[in-house]
Structure formats: C-alpha cells, structure tokens
Amino acid sequence: MSSAPRSICRPEIGPDKLGPDKLREECGVFGIFGNDEAAAHTVLGLHALQHRGQEAAGVVTFDGRLFHNHRAVGLVGDHFSSEAVISALPGHAAIGHVRYSTQGAPLLRNVQPLYADFVFGGLALAHNGNLTNALALRRQLVEEGCLFQSTSDTEVIIHLIARSRQPSVVERLVDALSQVEGAYALVALSGSALYGVRDPLGVRPLILGELDGAPILASESCALDIMGARFVRDIAPGEVFTATASGTESIMPFPPRAKRFCIFEYVYFARPDSAVEGQSVYETRKRIGAELAKEHPAPADLVIPVPDSGVPAAIGFAQAAGLPFELGLIRNHYVGRTFIEPSDRIRHLGVKLKHNANHATVTGRRVVLVDDSIVRGTTSTKIVAMIRQAGATEVHMRVASPPTTHSCFYGVDTPERSELLAAQNDLEAMARIIGVDSLAFLSLDGLYRAVGGTRRDARQPLFCDACFSGDYPTQLEDLGRGGSADQLSLMLEDA
Ligand code: SF4
C-alpha cells in the first residue's frame, strides 16, 4: 500500500449487503425573469441540471396575472417535452427544480417548486440543500397550528414567510431564512419578482447568468450554456438577489460567516463542463488526479477511469504519471438507473449492465483504476472483478478524494456511517474487500491543493469537507438521516 492505513478498524461489511454506491446530490434549481419563453428556457435549464436530481421535476411560471405549474415524478424529458405542456406554462418569469427524494417513494406533494397564497399574493419556492434545524422548526410550527402538506424543508420556509410580520416579500424572506440553519440555494417567484438566495456559508452553488437582458439563476453554469446564456457571477454566500421589471438588486442581510462551499461539488456532483465558484470543474478534477499521482504513484502500464465521473481525474493522473490513458471500461449510456430495475436479481447485475471491461485494452496489463470516490464499495468491487476477468495482471485502485467516512446533512443523499466502507474498515481491509493489489486515497491536503485552498488557513476561504473529516460547519440539531421532515412525517404517522 502506498499510503498509511487508517487507524479505524472495525468489523468489515461485505459488498453483498450494500446498495447504490455514489453520494447523490439532491436538487438543482433554475429561475428566469423577463423572457417571453420563460417555461421553455427553464425546461432547457432543468435538462442540463438533470444530473443533480432524477426522480422528479417541476416548473412554476407567472404570466402577469396567474401562476401556472406542472410537477411530475420522473425525468424532465419524460414530462416536459411536449408543446402542450410548455404552452400550458405561459409567462415571462419561471422557476424550476429537479430533485431526488431522500427516503421512500418520491411523492408528488414533495415535488418542487412549492406554491402558496400569502397575504401579499402568490409565491413559489424551490431549494437545493437541507435545513439542519428543520425538524425543530417544523415541530414548533405544527404545535402552533400550522398544517403541512409535504415533508419538504421548503414548506418550513413557506410557513415562516407566512407568519412574518415584515412589510415586503423580500423582508419576509429574509426574516424566514434568518431562522433556519443549514445549506440552501433557493429560488422564489412572486407576482413581481424573481429571488435567489444562498445560505451564509455558501454550501450549495447558485450562479447568476443573463440571456438577452433576462437574469437567470441556476445551480450550475452548464444550465446557461445549453441556451447560449452568459455567465455573470456566482451569487455570494448570504446574498439575497432580486430581479424585477425595474432591474436587479442584491442585499447581504445575514451576519457574515466563513464560507464553506461543498468540496464534493468538485469531486463528483457538478458537471465537468460547469464552472463553480470561479473554477472549471473539469480542470479542477484533472488537478485532483495529478495530485493523486504525485501522492500515490502505482507500478502500472496504463491508467483507466471508472466512467464517467472518474475520467477527468484519470486524465490528470495519467498526464502527471507519464502513463497512457486508455478506456478500459466502456459504459452503456442506454441502461436505466439500477434502482428502477424490476427485481433484486437484475438489480444485483447493475454494474454489469452499466459497464463492460474492454478486453483489448486490459488483457495482460497492469492497470491503475481511477474513480472519484468510494462510498459503499459495491461498484468498485464488481468493476475490479470485471477487469481481472478480462485479463488484467494487476489492478491498483487510486481514489480522487479522501475516504468518505461521514454522512452529509446538507442536501446530499448519503448512506448511514455504518454503510460507508471507509468508516468501517482500514485501508488494508478495504483493499481486500474491493479485491485490488493496492489501494490509495487522495489526502485532504492534496484535495485542497487541487481546488486552490489551504485547509484551516484563516486567510483562505474554507470548504465544507465534513464527509471526509466529520468537521460539520453547522450545528446538527435534532436531525434524522436523509431529511428531517421525512423523519417527522414518520413520527407523526406513528403517533
Ligand atoms: Fe459536500 Fe460532504 Fe459537506 Fe455534504 S458533507 S456539503 S457532500 S463536503
């Protein structure tokens, strides 16, 4: 092994018990104001953000008199491709959302944007993230008589806005968000304005773009590229952005806090053709791969990526190591997601359905296999077996992030710690479970070098790296895994 074994040494968990093997970003958001084809552009934006949530999608528009909405469980392309749906969403302003559900079946009542009629008129909201005090706030609101229609954290914000005594919509929004803790990138649409807000830590991304004078808000810049819109800037942590017919304005109403942008966006979540926080994701991933090669070289003939997410890091690794980069695994892009497959037996074949070893490349060769991260280890185990069966003489796995040892509570679907391979096993045990000749992870310092920051340096902005370090940037109040509101809902049903 080329790096020191971690000291954690607990009973091994076997791959057979394990489920889906990536952290899953839970949402993507989009908004546009002052464009006659607001719905069509929002659908395009959601197509580009589909990687951030594939279980449900929704769009709300405002036509100057009425709000219109269409929300559905499924992919954007399944529900927003017909002219009939788009023309039923008239208006010059729109917001949209794609999401994963955190527990159980995705229910239509949870699909965002959520809409409510307030004393000042209608308001639709959608957010990416997770409120770490949502359960406590929700319990308090229920005790005070609020009726909840969904288990979404977004509805907590809606009730806080409704109860606010502030005079304007934006002041009510600020009043509500002052009471929440956690991560959110939020878009909202009233009868007169589009709003975009990022939490004071800036954990989740939100950018500002522009198309023919119409401001656009989106989770990632790839949502601008798809429609030829121009990137303007990142919405700043703690910024409340407003676009109206009179123009745009921003305020910074929250007490400033040290920035903690999610470092995992660079590792895996964001699309490689996006730029987040001013950096190309693709170039950052190549730098991550180069750092990995410097820290953990491997005695091999070629470098192969686990497609698609391991590709940029593998290119960076190969270039830094002076080794050939080859496609030793071919991905079938036409296979559905494993969790919708019809039976356990077929689900178990998921990796074989998605990937196939390229015999011509790996037979008789020593390979370095590069992946972005290891969560449960199930996929890695199957892929390594596949490469060996194809005739590789040695398989050295290099992981372009530190061991994932902690769950995320900021809008990412993460397994319990007991299911995280690196939380339960030391390096040697992990290598044995996965079946590799050697295994190494990028160090946290190496990751920080690649993304351009210095860990724990007060002069530099910090990232959130809690899933690697356990150093959570907020209090974790009263929190259940996978969504506090889901947990409360179950509690209420039990009662
Ligand atoms: Fe991102 Fe990990 Fe922090 Fe969650 S815990 S916000 S995945 S860095």
Side-chain angles (χ1 to χ4, degrees):
M1 298 295 157
S2 48
S3 82
R6 294 169 53 76
S7 58
I8 298 167
C9 193
R10 299 189 189 126
E12 293 180 2
I13 46 175
D16 285 343
K17 291 195 286 180
L18 307 173
D21 201 17
K22 286 288 177 198
L23 298 191
R24 295 192 310 191
E25 180 71 58
E26 283 172 6
C27 304
V29 296
F30 186 91
I32 185 167
F33 189 90
N35 182 292
D36 289 340
E37 294 183 284
H41 285 103
T42 301
V43 169
L44 275 177
L46 295 183
H47 269 294
L49 297 172
Q50 188 78 84
H51 61 290
R52 298 183 75 87
Q54 296 163 18
E55 289 186 5
V59 173
V60 171
T61 63
F62 183 67
D63 66 4
R65 199 172 65 86
L66 295 171
F67 286 87
H68 307 267
N69 88 90
H70 186 72
R71 300 180 302 149
V73 174
L75 297 171
V76 178
D78 294 343
H79 298 285
F80 289 90
S81 294
S82 80
E83 178 57 36
V85 169
I86 301 298
S87 54
L89 293 166
H92 64 280
I95 60 171
H97 190 259
V98 286
R99 83 182 288 263
Y100 277 120
S101 66
T102 51
Q103 289 180 358
L107 300 171
L108 192 54
R109 65 187 173 133
N110 283 332
V111 178
Q112 298 186 39
L114 298 186
Y115 172 85
D117 283 311
F118 297 84
V119 67
F120 55 80
L123 185 74
L125 271 105
H127 97 275
N128 168 212
N130 208 52
L131 308 182
T132 49
N133 65 343
L135 184 57
L137 285 170
R138 194 178 169 106
R139 185 179 287 129
Q140 183 189 326
L141 288 163
V142 168
E143 279 170 7
E144 291 171 8
C146 291
L147 302 174
F148 279 80
Q149 305 283 322
S150 76
T151 57
S152 163
D153 287 1
T154 314
E155 199 178 354
V156 172
I157 300 172
I158 284 178
H159 280 286
L160 293 173
I161 292 170
R163 295 163 66 84
S164 173
R165 293 283 173 263
Q166 295 297 318
S168 70
V169 178
V170 75
E171 286 167 299
R172 282 170 174 256
L173 192 55
V174 169
D175 187 21
L177 294 173
S178 300
Q179 299 168 61
V180 309
E181 182 79 12
Y184 54 84
L186 179 148
V187 292
L189 183 65
S190 72
S192 59
L194 168 72
Y195 307 93
V197 193
R198 217 169 149 204
D199 71 75
L201 296 166
V203 177
R204 304 256 70 89
L206 187 64
I207 58 153
L208 176 64
E210 182 263 335
L211 179 69
D212 301 329
I216 293 175
L217 296 164
S219 295
E220 290 181 35
S221 60
C222 62
L224 304 177
D225 297 338
I226 195 172
M227 63 192 73
R230 181 176 69 89
F231 172 80
V232 177
R233 62 180 175 84
D234 289 281
I235 296 293
E239 177 178 349
V240 178
F241 171 86
T242 306
T244 65
S246 316
T248 63
E249 66 175 35
S250 284
I251 55 172
M252 301 290 288
F254 308 113
R257 295 173 72 174
K259 181 176 166 185
R260 300 294 291 269
F261 182 63
C262 169
I263 206 164
F264 221 108
E265 291 281 351
Y266 288 117
V267 170
Y268 173 68
F269 298 140
R271 252 174 59 163
D273 52 338
S274 284
V276 292
E277 292 293 293
Q279 295 200 60
S280 154
V281 173
Y282 178 78
E283 292 299 331
T284 306
R285 284 184 190 158
K286 277 175 61 181
R287 287 199 299 277
I288 289 173
E291 285 292 338
L292 183 61
K294 277 186 230 156
E295 284 188 1
H296 303 292
D301 303 311
L302 73 160
V303 177
I304 66 173
V306 176
D308 294 321
S309 53
V311 171
I315 292 172
F317 189 107
Q319 289 174 350
L323 290 170
F325 169 90
E326 298 284 359
L327 297 179
L329 284 166
I330 305 300
R331 181 168 173 201
N332 181 347
H333 289 267
Y334 304 98
V335 176
R337 297 176 64 211
T338 50
F339 78 94
I340 58 169
E341 284 157 9
S343 73
D344 277 357
R345 190 179 64 81
I346 297 297
R347 184 153 49 87
H348 195 65
L349 294 176
V351 173
K352 282 191 176 167
L353 287 168
K354 279 185 182 168
H355 298 105
N356 190 26
N358 184 356
H359 289 240
T361 304
V362 302
T363 303
R365 318 290 286 281
R366 301 170 301 163
V367 307
V368 185
L369 179 65
V370 177
D371 203 354
D372 60 273
S373 57
I374 293 181
V375 178
R376 291 179 162 104
T378 43
T379 303
S380 310
T381 305
K382 290 173 184 171
I383 280 176
V384 168
M386 201 183 289
I387 293 169
R388 286 200 189 280
Q389 280 164 14
T393 54
E394 292 177 22
V395 182
H396 302 275
M397 183 141 197
R398 297 293 179 266
V399 184
S401 59
T404 304
T405 51
H406 290 74
S407 298
C408 175
F409 298 103
Y410 304 115
V412 172
D413 186 17
T414 328
E416 299 278 2
R417 283 200 77 197
S418 60
E419 296 175 28
L420 295 172
L421 191 71
Q424 301 298 319
N425 298 277
D426 64 14
L427 195 64
E428 220 170 296
M430 283 192 277
R432 198 165 55 245
I433 291 168
I434 293 170
V436 287
D437 295 283
S438 77
L439 172 67
F441 292 80
L442 183 64
S443 70
L444 198 49
D445 284 340
L447 180 57
Y448 268 76
R449 277 194 296 277
V451 299
T454 307
R455 190 154 199 267
R456 303 289 169 260
D457 183 338
R459 292 165 302 174
Q460 296 279 352
L462 294 174
F463 293 90
C464 174
D465 54 33
C467 49
F468 306 127
S469 65
D471 177 13
Y472 292 98
T474 67
Q475 298 265 319
L476 300 178
E477 286 178 38
D478 212 4
L479 190 67
R481 185 185 83 83
S484 50
D486 284 343
Q487 190 191 47
L488 179 71
S489 182
L490 292 174
M491 284 164 45
L492 294 174
E493 281 166 20
D494 285 350

